[in-house]
Amino acid sequence: MNLWAIRSFWLAAILLLGAGWAQQRVNVLCSPDLAWCEALVPAFRQATGIELRFVRLSSGEALARLRAEAQRPQFDVWFGGTGDPHLIAFREGLTEFYKPRAWNDLREDLRQAVGETYIPLYTGAIGFVVNTQVLQRRGLPEPKRWTDLADPRYKGLIAMPDPNTSGTGYTILATLIQIYGEEQAFRLLAQIHRNIAQYTRSGSAPGQLAGRGDVAIAVQFAHDGVKFAQEGFPLKVYFPLEGTGYEIGGLSLIKGAPNREAAIRFIEWALTPEAQAIAAKVGSLQIQSNKKTPIPPNSPRLASITLIKYDFAKFGSSEVRDRVVGRWTKEIFPQPR
C-alpha cells in the first residue's frame, strides 16, 4: 500500500469516527414545563457533546405515547412528570430500572417511597393558587378546605387539570380519594365540577389562568403557583387544611431505548447538582432529589405542609388509574356546569 493510499485510509477512518460522534444523541420525552425542557438541550450538549432532542408532553399523554410505541420505542428517556405514571410504565414493562451512580446521594425518603422502579427526580405538593384581587372584587373569601371548592359562590372561578392528560390532575383525583374515600370524593368532585371554568391539558396551566384573572382559584402543584407569583401575578399559594397529596417526579430509562448509551449518560448527568440547579434558574421550584442540590428559597417546604400518606403503590397501578380516571370521565366530566 503506497503512502497516498495509507493517508486516504486513515482520513476515511477519522471521518467515519467523527460522523459517529456527531450522530450520537438522546431522545427525551419531557414532562416538566417547556422552559425547563428547553434549557436541558444546550446544558447537556455543553457537558457531554451529545445532542438532545425532546418532545414535551404532560404525564398522562407521555404514558399514552409510550404505550402506543411499546413495540418500537422512539424515545430513550422519560424526564419528569408525576410519579404514578412512571410507576405504571415500569409495571407494564415500558421502562426499566437503572440504578445511577448517584443513587445514594438522592433523598432517602424519596428512594424508599418508590423503591427500584423509577428514579426520583424531584418532589412537590398540591396546593391552592388563588388570585386574591379577583376574590376581593367579588367579595369572596379564600377557600381554606377542599370542601370549600364546592361552594356555589365560586361558580366559574376554578380551574383544574384534566386527569386524562395531566399527571397533576390524576394526583388531585387520587388525593381526594385518599382523604375522603372514593364515593365521598366523587360526590365532592361532582359539586366542584359545577364551579369549574376550565379543565386544562397541562398541570401548570390553571395557575396561568388564575394569574391573568380568568379564574380566581387554581388547583395544581404549589411550586408552579410560586413561579407565577414571582413573575408578578397577584397570586397567593397555600395548602388545604384537610391535608394534601404530593408527587415524586420521575426519571426513567425507556425499555428498548434506541440510544441506550446516550440515555444512561443523560440520566447520570440529570442527577448531578449542576444539572438539577437548571430547574430553579428557569422558575421550576420543585425540591430536587439530589441532597446536594440547593433548595430555592421560595420552594414550598414539605416539612411545613400537612401531607397525606400517599399510597404510591396503589395509585401507581394501571388498573386503579384507568378505573378512577375512567369513572371521572364518565360520571363527572359530562355533567352540566
mmCIF file of all heavy atoms in Angstrom, residues 249-268:
data_model
loop_
_atom_site.group_PDB
_atom_site.id
_atom_site.type_symbol
_atom_site.label_atom_id
_atom_site.label_comp_id
_atom_site.label_asym_id
_atom_site.label_seq_id
_atom_site.Cartn_x
_atom_site.Cartn_y
_atom_site.Cartn_z
ATOM 1 N N GLY A 249 -41.625 13.202 41.356
ATOM 2 C CA GLY A 249 -41.420 13.252 39.918
ATOM 3 C C GLY A 249 -40.365 12.254 39.478
ATOM 4 O O GLY A 249 -39.405 11.978 40.199
ATOM 5 N N GLY A 250 -40.550 11.711 38.273
ATOM 6 C CA GLY A 250 -39.737 10.573 37.859
ATOM 7 C C GLY A 250 -38.737 10.835 36.753
ATOM 8 O O GLY A 250 -38.835 11.793 35.980
ATOM 9 N N LEU A 251 -37.775 9.935 36.690
ATOM 10 C CA LEU A 251 -36.777 9.870 35.627
ATOM 11 C C LEU A 251 -36.629 8.397 35.278
ATOM 12 O O LEU A 251 -36.269 7.590 36.148
ATOM 13 C CB LEU A 251 -35.445 10.459 36.106
ATOM 14 C CG LEU A 251 -34.260 10.420 35.136
ATOM 15 C CD1 LEU A 251 -34.555 11.231 33.876
ATOM 16 C CD2 LEU A 251 -33.001 10.958 35.819
ATOM 17 N N SER A 252 -36.944 8.024 34.047
ATOM 18 C CA SER A 252 -36.988 6.604 33.685
ATOM 19 C C SER A 252 -36.236 6.324 32.388
ATOM 20 O O SER A 252 -36.315 7.106 31.432
ATOM 21 C CB SER A 252 -38.438 6.142 33.519
ATOM 22 O OG SER A 252 -39.137 6.144 34.739
ATOM 23 N N LEU A 253 -35.554 5.195 32.382
ATOM 24 C CA LEU A 253 -34.925 4.669 31.167
ATOM 25 C C LEU A 253 -35.975 3.854 30.421
ATOM 26 O O LEU A 253 -36.558 2.926 30.984
ATOM 27 C CB LEU A 253 -33.727 3.793 31.524
ATOM 28 C CG LEU A 253 -33.024 3.066 30.373
ATOM 29 C CD1 LEU A 253 -32.412 4.049 29.380
ATOM 30 C CD2 LEU A 253 -31.949 2.118 30.915
ATOM 31 N N ILE A 254 -36.215 4.202 29.178
ATOM 32 C CA ILE A 254 -37.241 3.516 28.396
ATOM 33 C C ILE A 254 -36.698 2.171 27.903
ATOM 34 O O ILE A 254 -35.575 2.088 27.401
ATOM 35 C CB ILE A 254 -37.704 4.407 27.232
ATOM 36 C CG1 ILE A 254 -38.397 5.654 27.803
ATOM 37 C CG2 ILE A 254 -38.628 3.649 26.287
ATOM 38 C CD1 ILE A 254 -38.719 6.710 26.789
ATOM 39 N N LYS A 255 -37.489 1.155 28.092
ATOM 40 C CA LYS A 255 -37.069 -0.190 27.693
ATOM 41 C C LYS A 255 -36.950 -0.273 26.175
ATOM 42 O O LYS A 255 -37.845 0.153 25.443
ATOM 43 C CB LYS A 255 -38.081 -1.223 28.188
ATOM 44 C CG LYS A 255 -37.578 -2.654 28.120
ATOM 45 C CD LYS A 255 -38.509 -3.584 28.869
ATOM 46 C CE LYS A 255 -37.960 -4.990 28.925
ATOM 47 N NZ LYS A 255 -38.855 -5.890 29.707
ATOM 48 N N GLY A 256 -35.828 -0.789 25.719
ATOM 49 C CA GLY A 256 -35.580 -0.855 24.287
ATOM 50 C C GLY A 256 -35.148 0.462 23.696
ATOM 51 O O GLY A 256 -35.285 0.681 22.484
ATOM 52 N N ALA A 257 -34.598 1.347 24.537
ATOM 53 C CA ALA A 257 -34.169 2.673 24.069
ATOM 54 C C ALA A 257 -33.226 2.540 22.880
ATOM 55 O O ALA A 257 -32.231 1.809 22.947
ATOM 56 C CB ALA A 257 -33.482 3.422 25.205
ATOM 57 N N PRO A 258 -33.492 3.225 21.773
ATOM 58 C CA PRO A 258 -32.622 3.109 20.601
ATOM 59 C C PRO A 258 -31.231 3.684 20.814
ATOM 60 O O PRO A 258 -30.291 3.307 20.109
ATOM 61 C CB PRO A 258 -33.384 3.873 19.514
ATOM 62 C CG PRO A 258 -34.349 4.744 20.242
ATOM 63 C CD PRO A 258 -34.685 4.039 21.506
ATOM 64 N N ASN A 259 -31.081 4.595 21.784
ATOM 65 C CA ASN A 259 -29.773 5.193 22.070
ATOM 66 C C ASN A 259 -29.457 4.980 23.548
ATOM 67 O O ASN A 259 -29.318 5.944 24.315
ATOM 68 C CB ASN A 259 -29.787 6.683 21.724
ATOM 69 C CG ASN A 259 -30.168 6.951 20.282
ATOM 70 O OD1 ASN A 259 -29.417 6.647 19.363
ATOM 71 N ND2 ASN A 259 -31.355 7.507 20.075
ATOM 72 N N ARG A 260 -29.327 3.732 23.940
ATOM 73 C CA ARG A 260 -29.223 3.390 25.358
ATOM 74 C C ARG A 260 -28.003 4.018 26.029
ATOM 75 O O ARG A 260 -28.091 4.537 27.140
ATOM 76 C CB ARG A 260 -29.196 1.870 25.520
ATOM 77 C CG ARG A 260 -29.134 1.407 26.974
ATOM 78 C CD ARG A 260 -29.038 -0.111 27.075
ATOM 79 N NE ARG A 260 -28.815 -0.520 28.451
ATOM 80 C CZ ARG A 260 -29.761 -0.704 29.346
ATOM 81 N NH1 ARG A 260 -31.022 -0.528 29.012
ATOM 82 N NH2 ARG A 260 -29.477 -1.071 30.579
ATOM 83 N N GLU A 261 -26.864 3.983 25.364
ATOM 84 C CA GLU A 261 -25.641 4.521 25.971
ATOM 85 C C GLU A 261 -25.789 6.018 26.236
ATOM 86 O O GLU A 261 -25.458 6.506 27.320
ATOM 87 C CB GLU A 261 -24.433 4.266 25.068
ATOM 88 C CG GLU A 261 -23.129 4.782 25.652
ATOM 89 C CD GLU A 261 -21.937 4.541 24.743
ATOM 90 O OE1 GLU A 261 -22.055 3.734 23.801
ATOM 91 O OE2 GLU A 261 -20.888 5.187 24.975
ATOM 92 N N ALA A 262 -26.316 6.742 25.247
ATOM 93 C CA ALA A 262 -26.533 8.179 25.425
ATOM 94 C C ALA A 262 -27.600 8.435 26.486
ATOM 95 O O ALA A 262 -27.522 9.412 27.238
ATOM 96 C CB ALA A 262 -26.929 8.818 24.102
ATOM 97 N N ALA A 263 -28.588 7.550 26.566
ATOM 98 C CA ALA A 263 -29.641 7.689 27.578
ATOM 99 C C ALA A 263 -29.060 7.594 28.983
ATOM 100 O O ALA A 263 -29.416 8.382 29.872
ATOM 101 C CB ALA A 263 -30.703 6.614 27.376
ATOM 102 N N ILE A 264 -28.163 6.657 29.186
ATOM 103 C CA ILE A 264 -27.535 6.496 30.503
ATOM 104 C C ILE A 264 -26.664 7.702 30.825
ATOM 105 O O ILE A 264 -26.637 8.191 31.966
ATOM 106 C CB ILE A 264 -26.749 5.176 30.560
ATOM 107 C CG1 ILE A 264 -27.751 3.998 30.553
ATOM 108 C CG2 ILE A 264 -25.844 5.125 31.789
ATOM 109 C CD1 ILE A 264 -27.101 2.645 30.463
ATOM 110 N N ARG A 265 -25.960 8.225 29.816
ATOM 111 C CA ARG A 265 -25.163 9.436 30.032
ATOM 112 C C ARG A 265 -26.072 10.584 30.487
ATOM 113 O O ARG A 265 -25.722 11.356 31.386
ATOM 114 C CB ARG A 265 -24.444 9.838 28.738
ATOM 115 C CG ARG A 265 -23.323 8.921 28.298
ATOM 116 C CD ARG A 265 -22.021 9.180 29.036
ATOM 117 N NE ARG A 265 -21.522 10.531 28.903
ATOM 118 C CZ ARG A 265 -20.801 10.985 27.874
ATOM 119 N NH1 ARG A 265 -20.536 10.185 26.828
ATOM 120 N NH2 ARG A 265 -20.333 12.222 27.872
ATOM 121 N N PHE A 266 -27.248 10.677 29.861
ATOM 122 C CA PHE A 266 -28.178 11.744 30.224
ATOM 123 C C PHE A 266 -28.698 11.556 31.649
ATOM 124 O O PHE A 266 -28.763 12.518 32.429
ATOM 125 C CB PHE A 266 -29.353 11.793 29.245
ATOM 126 C CG PHE A 266 -30.403 12.783 29.645
ATOM 127 C CD1 PHE A 266 -30.220 14.144 29.438
ATOM 128 C CD2 PHE A 266 -31.579 12.369 30.265
ATOM 129 C CE1 PHE A 266 -31.181 15.072 29.825
ATOM 130 C CE2 PHE A 266 -32.543 13.282 30.661
ATOM 131 C CZ PHE A 266 -32.341 14.638 30.438
ATOM 132 N N ILE A 267 -29.070 10.351 32.006
ATOM 133 C CA ILE A 267 -29.593 10.086 33.350
ATOM 134 C C ILE A 267 -28.553 10.440 34.408
ATOM 135 O O ILE A 267 -28.865 11.106 35.408
ATOM 136 C CB ILE A 267 -30.032 8.615 33.473
ATOM 137 C CG1 ILE A 267 -31.314 8.379 32.661
ATOM 138 C CG2 ILE A 267 -30.253 8.221 34.938
ATOM 139 C CD1 ILE A 267 -31.716 6.928 32.545
ATOM 140 N N GLU A 268 -27.320 9.994 34.200
ATOM 141 C CA GLU A 268 -26.267 10.297 35.180
ATOM 142 C C GLU A 268 -26.069 11.806 35.306
ATOM 143 O O GLU A 268 -25.916 12.335 36.414
ATOM 144 C CB GLU A 268 -24.958 9.612 34.760
ATOM 145 C CG GLU A 268 -25.001 8.093 34.760
ATOM 146 C CD GLU A 268 -24.988 7.495 36.159
ATOM 147 O OE1 GLU A 268 -24.998 8.246 37.155
ATOM 148 O OE2 GLU A 268 -24.981 6.248 36.267
#
